[in-house]
Every structure is written in structure tokens, then in C-alpha cells.
Amino acid sequence: MAQPLCIIGTLTAALLLSLHGSVTAADYDLSPARQFVAAETGEVMQGGATTHFNKADRNAFSHPAANMEFDHQLNFQLGNSIFRKLWVSSPSSTTASDGLGPLYNARSCERCHQQDGRGHTPQNNWPEDNAISMFLRLSIPPQTTEQEIQLKNNRIGVVPEPTYGGQLQDFAVTGMPAEGRMQISYTDLPVNFTDGSTVVLRKPEYTITDTQYGPLHPDTMLSPRIAPPMIGLGLLEAISEQDLLTLADPDDSDGDGISGRTNRVWDSSKQTVVTGRFGWKAGNPTLHQQNNGAFNGDIGISTPTRSDPYGDCTSQQSRCLQQPNGDTPAQGNREASAQMLDLVLFYTRNLAVPARRNASQPEVLAGKKLFYQSGCVGCHQPKFVTTKHTDIPEQSEQLIWPYSDLLLHDMGEGLADNRPEFAASGSEWRTPPLWGIGLTKAVNGHTQFLHDGRARNLMEAILWHGGEAEPARQQVIKMSKMDRTNLIQFLESL
């Protein structure tokens, strides 16, 4: 059933293009599904024409957009090589690859986004295991009037911890100590279903040990983050801002209990406040800004827009600031050149979303109906049509199925990190896209979900939902075992 539906979806788009010259949201039925006896037209092609139909194996998140022209393939491969590049410390004979750190979380983008997929929690605390692909964000409340004004005007998202910066760096170049170690402890939290079944959640608590540069500020706020999957990011960027604003309902004017709102963040290229859409709290407005921040903060690499060759080193880490750096004239006096960042941008924009699997199976359709009836689509918006973009033709005018509204929602005290970021409160999180979620095990060898990987499977992830999602959670708790199984089968088909 899958392939004919995909062909129909492709032919429909081609016909509309021939008749109208472009495809808009008006050309598609974007209303919620009303019947659940068959897959919707085009639903299998989650990423529109960018969708790939390659094998659903460990490489399922690493394929280029299927509609990419042949002469763009080289740029994709070059971007891939930079994404996977292992950076080394300075000085080095490989001047195109030096500048690591001096303090860092990973030596490459791929070390966190393994196989372009999802990060994971450490199996044990240090020194039995490291926290690669997971780290702690750090910040403190405003200390000055100037900081209060900057936060209020969304010129900055947080105030970094004064000694350790914006995140804990648990690796360092030879001869320097890492900043410290993240320690995680878990407490069992049982949840009972109406039918008598029980699921035991694990409630995490985070601390920092072995601090090497002095004590943390007494009001330090911690926020754990695992690396999210990289697929479909260019498509998310191509959703019109107006579509997001239309979905936003900050005052819950329709009375459905869901009050999604946009994060308002600083766009460094436009020098103005815009809508955020990337990151766990939608703290970045563009993929380019997100990439630059990761190069600088996670790896310690200077870029055209993040010019500090010492990454997240602070003024109180004098030894860090005295280390050699990799800024070279050949790279535009940066450790990663503008060309490198452009290639990485092209690569991260064009990682294809895999096709749906088993979308027409009765059990999957039954699970989809439950997903709708429980109210999950109030945040996990099924579909959009991307806007017309001549500069990114692959992502232009595509019917896509991310199952996200990219808005902030209050998820309750259970998931709260109590750390604001721009306009996002300590209990608000951006709705994560669900496309590809069923391939997490195949790609990354685990099923750890949510911002800190606390959920060990999809049902645990659902049961951590609170706040605006509490009514939907209660619907799941009341389901029969068969209904719960069907709901998970639907999610695993995405």
C-alpha cells in the first residue's frame, strides 16, 4: 500500500505545480484526519518529495533529500565529512582541523548526533562511563539591571554561570582538566494504569562533581540535554512563521487547555528578535545559528558568527584562555571557515526523513485514531506545507508530516528543569517532531526519549507528559492494553 500512496502524493504535487506554478497550503487538506480506515494521501512521504525509501537500518537518518539534484550531491557529501570531522588541539600540522576546545563536550558533531540520530544517557556515572551526546546547560538569575533588561528584551536567552559558562565541559585538551563531571541518580516512580498494569518511571536528579575551576555560583540552574536527531531540519526551517503564529494560543482563547506559544529569540544575523524553532526550548531561530552555536559551545571551534576560539571558556579560566588556538588566515581567521559552515548547513538541511512504515495496517490506524482522540495532536501538529524558497529548492513547497507545532508548551512540574531560556519558562518545552521516532532503536541502538533521555521507551515518554498534556496522559492511563499497544505501533510507524 505504501508505494502507490507515495506515487499518488508525488503526482498530485506535480500536477498542482503544472497548473498553478507553485504549491500552497490551500492546495492540500491540512485539517485533522476524520477517518482512520486508510492512510491519508501522501502520509507515507513524511518529508514530502525529500522522503527517502532506503532500508530502515542504522543509516536511516543519514540519507540526502530524495529530490536533491545531482550537482548538489557533492556539497552534501562535503558537509557530511565536516559534520563527522574529528577536531584536534592546536598547534597541529592539520591546520584545517585544529582548534579543538580547549574545553569541550565532543570532538565532532557526529559524536553527539551519532548516525545523525538521538543522543543517550550514560550507562554509569564517571569514571565508569562518559556523558558523550549529553551535557548540562548552566545559567544563573540576572545579577545586574543590564542583564535584567537584556533578558526582558530577548537580547540574551540566559545569564551564563560566571566561572563555567553556558554549559559544563567534561572534556579538555591534553594538559588541562575538564570542568567537572555530571552525576545522575534515579528514583523509581510507579504509574498505575486503570486496568491494573504498572509502569515504573525513573526520575532523575543531576549534580556536578569534581569541579576544577572553583565553586559554582550558589544559584546555578542546571538543564540536562541529549542531542536530538538531525532529520528534516531544513523542512522545519521552511515552515512559514505565520503558520506557527496561527497555531499559537498563549491565552488558551479556544478553551481546549492547550496554550502553545512561540519563543522569542535573538537572531544574530538579522540583529532583531524573531520566532525560535530549534533546540529543546526553541532557543535558536535558524539552523545556521544553531550550527554555529554547537561548533563554538560543544567543540570549542570559532566560526564566522562565533568568533571566540576558546569556545565556552570564561574570564575566570585564565589557563584556558592562554592555550594556542587554530585561527588561521586560510580559514578567514577562524577555526572553521564560512565555507565549512555553509557546507554543514547544506548537509543538516538536507538529511532526509524516512518514509512511514506500515501506515495502512489496521493496528497502526487504530493507534492513530487513539492519538487523535486523546488530544495528542493539540501539540503534535501532524502536517504543514512549507513555503516557497528558491534558495532551498529541496525544501520548497512540500507537504510534510513532522507531528510538531514547534511551539512552547507547559509540560508540568515532572519535566520542568526550572531554567528559563529567552521567553520559555522553566516548565516549557518545544514540541519535538515525531517523524523517524520509530527508527531510534535501529539507528542508535536504544529507545531513550525526552530532553534528558529519562524515558526508556515510548510509553514512559508519554507518561512523563503533564501540564497541558495531562488530559491526554490520563486518556492513555485509562486505555486497555490492546489500545496502548496500538498507540505505540502508530508511533513506531512514524
Side-chain angles (χ1 to χ4, degrees):
M1 289 294 294
Q3 193 65 24
L5 282 170
C6 298
I7 293 172
I8 290 171
T10 303
L11 291 176
T12 300
L15 178 60
L16 287 167
L17 279 169
S18 66
L19 293 175
H20 303 295
S22 63
V23 177
T24 68
D27 296 315
Y28 292 100
D29 180 8
L30 297 182
S31 61
R34 293 175 291 275
Q35 58 83 25
F36 302 93
V37 296
E40 297 172 72
T41 301
E43 184 178 7
V44 174
M45 296 181 69
Q46 297 188 101
T50 72
T51 306
H52 81 77
F53 285 83
N54 295 289
K55 188 176 180 180
D57 58 13
R58 67 188 302 267
N59 296 313
F61 291 172
S62 300
H63 297 286
N67 61 346
M68 183 184 295
E69 295 181 6
F70 179 77
D71 57 359
H72 290 171
Q73 296 281 345
L74 178 59
N75 285 342
F76 182 85
Q77 296 302 329
L78 290 171
N80 181 24
S81 68
I82 299 169
F83 192 84
R84 299 176 187 277
K85 176 201 289 280
L86 289 174
W87 294 85
V88 298
S89 58
S90 299
S92 169
S93 59
T94 57
T95 56
S97 299
D98 71 343
L100 175 69
L103 299 168
Y104 61 96
N105 292 106
R107 289 182 58 196
S108 72
C109 306
E110 200 271 342
R111 284 287 177 93
C112 286
H113 303 277
Q114 296 170 10
Q115 296 298 121
D116 303 297
R118 189 180 302 270
H120 60 87
T121 61
Q123 293 183 358
N124 294 288
N125 287 321
W126 181 267
E128 283 76 22
D129 194 7
N130 61 45
I132 196 75
S133 80
M134 181 180 185
F135 58 79
L136 287 174
R137 297 278 194 205
L138 310 175
S139 60
I140 61 173
Q143 306 294 298
T144 66
T145 301
E146 180 184 2
Q147 290 173 348
E148 290 177 350
I149 293 173
Q150 287 181 309
L151 288 168
K152 181 179 179 181
N153 294 330
N154 297 317
R155 293 295 300 267
I156 60 174
V158 298
V159 178
E161 200 282 334
T163 300
Y164 292 90
Q167 62 196 54
L168 184 73
Q169 311 279 356
D170 51 0
F171 291 98
V173 298
T174 302
M176 281 193 61
E179 289 184 325
R181 304 295 176 186
M182 174 175 62
Q183 301 286 319
I184 314 174
S185 60
Y186 294 102
T187 303
D188 287 348
L189 188 66
V191 177
N192 298 316
F193 293 104
T194 301
D195 65 6
S197 304
T198 300
V199 168
V200 178
L201 307 181
R202 56 175 188 173
K203 180 181 179 181
E205 183 176 344
Y206 300 91
T207 55
I208 296 175
T209 62
D210 302 316
T211 51
Q212 298 295 310
Y213 297 88
L216 288 156
H217 190 282
D219 296 325
T220 298
M221 296 175 282
L222 311 179
S223 184
R225 308 287 173 88
I226 63 169
M230 299 297 297
I231 55 173
L233 298 182
L235 294 168
L236 299 180
E237 193 169 42
I239 297 172
S240 78
E241 183 177 33
Q242 186 55 53
D243 284 350
L244 303 183
L245 295 173
T246 299
L247 291 172
D249 185 16
D251 300 318
D252 191 20
S253 58
D254 60 6
D256 67 353
I258 297 174
S259 52
R261 64 195 186 103
T262 58
N263 201 351
R264 302 297 294 168
V265 306
W266 183 251
D267 187 318
S268 59
S269 63
K270 294 181 179 179
Q271 290 291 292
T272 190
V273 176
V274 299
T275 296
R277 61 181 77 197
F278 294 107
W280 285 104
K281 286 183 179 279
N284 271 304
T286 65
L287 192 51
H288 185 61
Q289 188 164 314
Q290 177 84 5
N291 290 346
N292 275 266
F295 265 98
N296 197 240
D298 300 349
I299 312 177
I301 299 298
S302 62
T303 71
T305 64
R306 298 291 293 268
S307 59
D308 190 346
Y310 301 105
D312 199 35
C313 294
T314 70
S315 59
Q316 298 192 42
Q317 296 171 330
S318 57
R319 185 175 173 187
C320 181
L321 299 174
Q322 293 169 1
Q323 297 296 308
N325 65 70
D327 283 355
T328 59
Q331 303 291 102
N333 290 318
R334 298 291 183 268
E335 291 166 334
S337 67
Q339 183 182 24
M340 285 182 175
L341 267 295
D342 287 343
L343 289 169
V344 170
L345 177 60
F346 186 81
Y347 176 72
T348 54
R349 273 180 174 164
N350 283 285
L351 282 164
V353 179
R356 284 280 303 280
R357 300 153 311 286
N358 307 317
S360 295
Q361 282 191 356
E363 296 83 1
V364 170
L365 290 168
K368 178 182 176 181
K369 183 177 182 179
L370 292 164
F371 188 84
Y372 274 70
Q373 290 178 337
S374 299
C376 301
V377 291
C379 299
H380 290 283
Q381 176 73 15
K383 48 190 170 179
F384 292 89
V385 171
T386 61
T387 56
K388 184 174 183 178
H389 288 277
T390 56
D391 57 330
I392 48 171
E394 293 85 1
Q395 288 75 38
S396 182
E397 300 176 318
Q398 299 297 324
L399 173 63
I400 63 172
W401 303 74
Y403 284 91
S404 170
D405 58 10
L406 301 183
L407 300 178
L408 298 172
H409 294 276
D410 189 331
M411 297 301 293
E413 187 57 35
L415 285 178
D417 65 353
N418 299 309
R419 178 182 178 270
E421 182 178 336
F422 285 106
S425 74
S427 59
E428 287 182 311
W429 299 95
R430 183 204 69 163
T431 307
L434 297 182
W435 50 17
I437 198 167
L439 291 176
T440 302
K441 179 73 171 180
V443 172
N444 294 121
H446 68 79
T447 53
Q448 295 179 4
F449 302 108
L450 301 177
H451 66 280
D452 58 359
R454 69 177 68 186
R456 292 162 293 190
N457 53 60
L458 289 170
M459 183 52 68
E460 286 190 17
I462 293 170
L463 294 176
W464 272 111
H465 284 52
E468 297 174 39
E470 182 62 30
R473 175 180 180 269
Q474 290 300 322
Q475 290 293 318
V476 175
I477 287 175
K478 296 174 183 177
M479 287 180 185
S480 67
K481 182 177 180 180
M482 178 177 291
D483 282 348
R484 296 197 302 270
T485 299
N486 289 341
L487 177 62
I488 296 304
Q489 287 199 49
F490 163 67
L491 293 173
E492 289 178 343
S493 77
L494 298 177

